[in-house]
Amino acid sequence: MQNQNSLPLWNKNFLNVCLSSFFIFTNFYLLTATLPIYVKNDLKSSATEISLVISLYILGTVLLRPFSGLWADKFGKRKMSLLFLTLFIICNLAYFGTTSIVPLLIVRFINGFGFAVSTTSTSALAMDWIPIKRKGEGIGYFGLFMSLAMVIGPALGLYLTNNFDYTIVLTVASLFAILSMLFSYFSNEKIDHTQIQSEKPEEYNGIYKYIEAKSLPVSFSGFLLAFAYSSMLSYIGLYCIELGFPEAAILFFITLALLIIIPRPIIGKLLDKRGPNALIFPGIFLFIFGLVLLSQANTVSIVILSASIIGLGYGAIFPAYQTLSISAASQKRAGTASATFFLLYDIGVGGGSFIFGLTSDSLGFRTTYVIAAGITLLSLITYILLVKPFRKKLK
């Protein structure tokens, strides 16, 4: 077996896993950004029902996320990825038959199951193929594909929604789900048995079979970041419609992508050389400033400027949090650590989507984005109070 340190970073398996992750997250972000518009305009649903379209999906994800890491570690990351990507594809095809809110909510809920296990397995599988000495850089590049999806998905979805029937949106989303399956099929699984055998055997009982305790502190900080981020992910399209320039939502996501993607190679190397503090502190402050600026937007230019600032901040924070979460655990618990991080991240996105759906309806979007900025500040506070002291104990 090839030593993990002798691997080139861009080996075939790592690239296949990155592409699989890209397409499933593109599907997720495409539908997350466009379904609220479809549900409001085509199904004539209420603000609560719009929130449920996002939140029930996340609820389905959250319910299986704790098991997904255990299953990936026990039965194989690739096997679990392929099995639940099949479920994911079936649910995407089922969207074509949902023309009322109740069937749509049921399919969304089940679709979350497939998303939970496949994304956990894919993230853990990527760790198999990253050279140990380039872990921060590798995770950064893996996250780059997720960041690309985070922008291409909503931008493409909003473009298709504005110019075509929603059936076209669902067709493109289903195609992305199938591509994710194909790239996952052509990836392999590798375990460093030498390292695993050298580790002391550990027994995990109760909830700790499914949750990696060492990853919880930073995962909670990630939860708060995701809660704040959901205010943009789910509602930027409706916010820009309210401001009178719906086309700005597409420009927002494109700008967000560029400012996450362009600095990513530097950010990955900086994470390996300088540590997470060099990214998290400036990243949080940029993210907060961008949200406050977005809350005061009255022109397309301000919306785009806020996207660039938020993109710089998010692009620094997310890979640092994710790397800390996975690095806190042993290699044989990589799947469980990944599941723990994304479990709390999913709860943040789902809870934020639901709460911000209600606050935007009652208080308006401007107030919603100020609240999101305050929650981002809480993410930094929890990092200072919980994560930094915990990391010192692990050393």
Side-chain angles (χ1 to χ4, degrees):
M1 180 178 292
Q2 188 177 9
N3 184 280
Q4 194 166 354
N5 273 323
S6 67
L7 282 171
L9 178 57
W10 290 107
N11 57 81
K12 181 192 71 172
N13 289 291
F14 180 63
L15 183 58
N16 281 336
V17 174
C18 286
L19 289 170
S20 177
S21 177
F22 167 76
F23 283 112
I24 192 170
F25 275 97
T26 301
N27 171 289
F28 168 73
Y29 287 119
L30 184 151
L31 292 177
T32 299
T34 60
L35 274 172
I37 298 172
Y38 169 71
V39 171
K40 181 179 181 179
N41 294 341
D42 291 44
L43 302 186
K44 310 300 180 185
S45 298
S46 66
T48 300
E49 290 170 332
I50 294 172
S51 299
L52 285 173
V53 166
I54 306 300
S55 300
L56 278 180
Y57 184 98
I58 302 300
L59 177 60
T61 302
V62 165
L63 289 177
L64 252 67
R65 192 68 92 176
F67 303 97
S68 63
L70 179 67
W71 294 341
D73 291 333
K74 185 174 182 180
F75 300 113
K77 308 175 187 77
R78 181 176 177 271
K79 183 183 296 184
M80 288 296 100
S81 175
L82 293 174
L83 178 63
F84 281 87
L85 276 170
T86 301
L87 175 62
F88 190 83
I89 292 170
I90 291 170
C91 288
N92 271 264
L93 296 176
Y95 284 131
F96 288 95
T98 56
T99 56
S100 61
I101 190 65
V102 173
L104 178 61
L105 292 177
I106 293 172
V107 174
R108 289 289 288 171
F109 178 67
I110 299 173
N111 199 5
F113 295 168
F115 183 77
V117 181
S118 59
T119 52
T120 296
S121 301
T122 301
S123 296
L125 189 58
M127 300 307 106
D128 281 353
W129 298 104
I130 297 175
I132 293 172
K133 290 184 178 179
R134 301 181 70 182
K135 182 174 287 188
E137 187 180 1
I139 292 175
Y141 279 120
F142 179 74
L144 175 60
F145 282 82
M146 294 170 58
S147 299
L148 278 169
M150 180 181 70
V151 182
I152 292 174
L156 176 61
L158 290 170
Y159 172 78
L160 294 174
T161 301
N162 292 338
N163 293 278
F164 300 97
D165 184 83
Y166 202 72
T167 302
I168 300 298
V169 179
L170 295 177
T171 301
V172 173
S174 299
L175 176 62
F176 288 153
I178 293 169
L179 286 171
S180 180
M181 162 77 88
L182 287 175
F183 281 106
S184 184
Y185 178 80
F186 288 111
S187 62
N188 296 315
E189 184 169 355
K190 180 176 83 69
I191 300 175
D192 190 340
H193 294 283
T194 302
Q195 179 174 336
I196 290 177
Q197 290 170 3
S198 67
E199 296 173 351
K200 295 180 180 179
E202 298 173 286
E203 294 293 332
Y204 298 94
N205 298 311
I207 193 173
Y208 294 110
K209 287 184 178 180
Y210 314 102
I211 299 294
E212 176 51 62
K214 294 176 182 177
S215 299
L216 280 175
V218 70
S219 296
F220 183 69
S221 295
F223 156 78
L224 292 170
L225 177 69
F227 199 101
Y229 180 73
S230 70
S231 63
M232 296 171 291
L233 175 63
S234 301
Y235 301 111
I236 194 68
L238 292 175
Y239 180 43
C240 289
I241 290 173
E242 181 182 282
L243 291 175
F245 29 83
E247 72 284 354
I250 298 175
L251 297 174
F252 179 92
F253 284 113
I254 292 173
T255 305
L256 193 73
L258 291 175
L259 271 297
I260 290 174
I261 294 165
I262 293 172
R264 185 53 64 91
I266 299 173
I267 285 173
K269 292 178 180 178
L270 187 63
L271 181 58
D272 285 329
K273 291 180 180 180
R274 299 290 301 276
N277 290 351
L279 298 176
I280 290 172
F281 283 94
I284 289 285
F285 287 118
L286 285 170
F287 198 88
I288 291 172
F289 179 63
L291 283 169
V292 172
L293 184 63
L294 181 62
S295 74
Q296 303 303 310
N298 51 22
T299 66
V300 174
S301 297
I302 294 179
V303 170
I304 294 173
L305 178 60
S306 68
S308 64
I309 296 171
I310 291 168
L312 279 173
Y314 184 87
I317 305 164
F318 185 84
Y321 277 171
Q322 187 180 16
T323 301
L324 283 173
S325 175
I326 295 173
S327 299
S330 63
Q331 185 180 1
K332 64 182 177 182
R333 294 274 288 177
T336 306
S338 178
T340 301
F341 178 78
F342 281 109
L343 170 64
L344 270 74
Y345 196 89
D346 292 338
I347 294 173
V349 171
S353 295
F354 184 77
I355 297 299
F356 287 135
L358 300 180
T359 60
S360 63
D361 191 52
S362 58
L363 301 176
F365 284 108
R366 296 189 186 277
T367 301
T368 292
Y369 289 119
V370 172
I371 294 171
I375 292 171
T376 307
L377 180 60
L378 287 178
S379 179
L380 178 61
I381 293 172
T382 59
Y383 175 76
I384 294 171
L385 296 180
L386 300 178
V387 181
K388 290 181 69 180
F390 187 80
R391 288 179 62 218
K392 291 178 180 178
K393 290 180 181 179
L394 292 178
K395 291 180 180 178

